[in-house]
Amino acid sequence: MPVIEVARQAGACYGVERALKMALEASDSASQPVHTLGPLIHNPLVVADLEERGVRPAADPAEAGSGTLVIRAHGVTPQVIADAEARGLAVVDATCPYVKRVHRAAARLAAEGYQVLVVGESGHPEVQGILGHAGEGARVVSDEDDLAGLALCDKVGVVVQTTQTAERLAHVVAAVVGRVGELRVINTICEATSERQAAAAELAERSDVMIVIGGRESGNTRRLAQICRERCMNTHHIEDAAELDAAWFDEAERIGITAGASTPAEQIERTVAQIERVVAA
Ligand code: SF4
């Protein structure tokens, strides 16, 4: 029987658990409809479970109509909250406190006259929310190549999408530093992400197969899969235990498991149980 080991840090982070709890509390206490602004987390199973409890995603405040609107852990621009409140919606702001920290850092840099660069994935909801706090001249940079055609001011301030790697931040900073008179960097990477990445990397080094559980749309899960793949060629990204294939485990002596920040503990437990059944068959 192969050894099955779960990474020492894996699965739902503080911000996701908090947002989930706040959405469930809102649905328990509300007499009117409860919507989340977009899917609460990048995890189709959790979103389906919430829908069964009457908590549905809405694309924008207008679609939510009335009742309660839960802002997810990714956060939003101040304009979105103002729009929801102007429509009479009761806003439950489940923005992760670590994302709020990025909002405050970006706003402070903008107020102090820095052009804000947000190191992150262009178009990602968290990044859009950060941009809303970062002033007029703010720009998103995903890597050094994005800087090539970008006009920079003399004073540049850098913040980072919480799920980015320190390595990517370092590359962008190295590419900016020679082009500006003053550079201020506020490292807003969330520890939950770096801890999960380090634990996944360590486990992938020692494993014959790595299973990464989490939504396919989840940026942090995709990055975990990438980190594992660089160390263990036999890495598989799944959303649900039902996707497991017995052939993946042929001749494996150690099977490693990790999960993205939007994967609840039950999904990890279900996957471990399913792997145990598959390898015992
Ligand atoms: S990964 Fe970090 S910043 Fe993002 S929701 Fe989780 S705790 Fe918050």
Side-chain angles (χ1 to χ4, degrees):
M1 275 283 278
V3 174
I4 301 170
E5 185 175 338
V6 178
R8 52 176 196 280
Q9 265 111 6
C13 61
Y14 161 72
V16 163
E17 281 188 347
R18 177 177 175 273
L20 208 47
K21 189 162 167 266
M22 288 172 82
L24 291 173
E25 280 170 3
S27 83
D28 285 347
S29 60
S31 52
Q32 287 195 304
V34 177
H35 287 91
T36 57
L37 191 59
L40 189 69
I41 53 177
H42 288 306
N43 186 312
L45 299 182
V46 174
V47 171
D49 184 47
L50 282 169
E51 285 202 28
E52 264 176 34
R53 296 167 188 243
V55 181
R56 296 194 167 77
D60 52 37
E63 191 184 311
S66 60
T68 301
L69 185 66
V70 180
I71 305 298
R72 56 194 178 175
H74 286 321
V76 291
T77 64
Q79 290 77 8
V80 170
I81 302 235
D83 180 23
E85 286 175 345
R87 289 171 187 277
L89 289 159
V91 173
V92 172
D93 188 356
T95 305
C96 175
Y98 296 117
V99 175
K100 289 247 185 203
R101 184 166 64 115
V102 194
H103 292 176
R104 285 195 301 273
R108 198 168 61 238
L109 287 168
E112 290 172 7
Y114 292 87
Q115 177 191 18
V116 177
L117 295 185
V118 182
V119 178
E121 199 182 318
S122 181
H124 188 285
E126 182 191 321
V127 172
Q128 285 170 331
I130 297 168
L131 280 177
H133 293 81
E136 285 288 307
R139 294 285 180 273
V140 182
V141 176
S142 65
D143 54 30
E144 312 90 291
D145 295 342
D146 285 354
L147 286 162
L150 196 64
L152 296 176
C153 300
D154 190 50
K155 278 175 72 171
V156 164
V158 174
V159 295
V160 203
Q161 181 184 0
T162 54
T163 48
Q164 292 292 312
T165 61
E167 197 182 3
R168 181 167 294 193
L169 171 63
H171 283 148
V172 171
V173 168
V176 171
V177 71
R179 291 179 51 187
V180 298
E182 186 183 339
L183 176 62
R184 189 136 177 247
V185 181
I186 304 183
N187 181 355
T188 47
I189 294 171
C190 165
E191 274 177 29
T193 306
S194 51
E195 283 169 1
R196 276 157 185 70
Q197 289 171 351
E202 189 274 324
L203 182 55
E205 294 278 2
R206 314 186 267 116
S207 299
D208 304 305
V209 186
M210 275 302 290
I211 302 298
V212 183
I213 316 160
R216 293 205 168 76
E217 298 307 313
S218 157
N220 78 80
T221 311
R222 286 204 303 257
R223 261 188 291 279
L224 277 180
Q226 183 191 343
I227 287 168
C228 291
R229 214 164 274 126
E230 284 163 4
R231 293 159 176 86
C232 172
M233 278 169 56
N234 204 359
T235 291
H236 303 276
H237 177 173
I238 62 167
E239 279 188 350
D240 186 49
E243 295 169 45
L244 291 167
D245 182 341
W248 297 343
F249 308 112
D250 280 349
E251 295 174 29
E253 286 177 12
R254 182 178 296 273
I255 300 166
I257 297 172
T258 187
S262 45
T263 304
E266 314 86 73
Q267 279 184 29
I268 301 177
E269 286 158 18
R270 232 180 13 246
T271 303
V272 171
Q274 178 66 7
I275 293 174
E276 281 170 351
R277 274 194 292 276
V278 164
V279 296

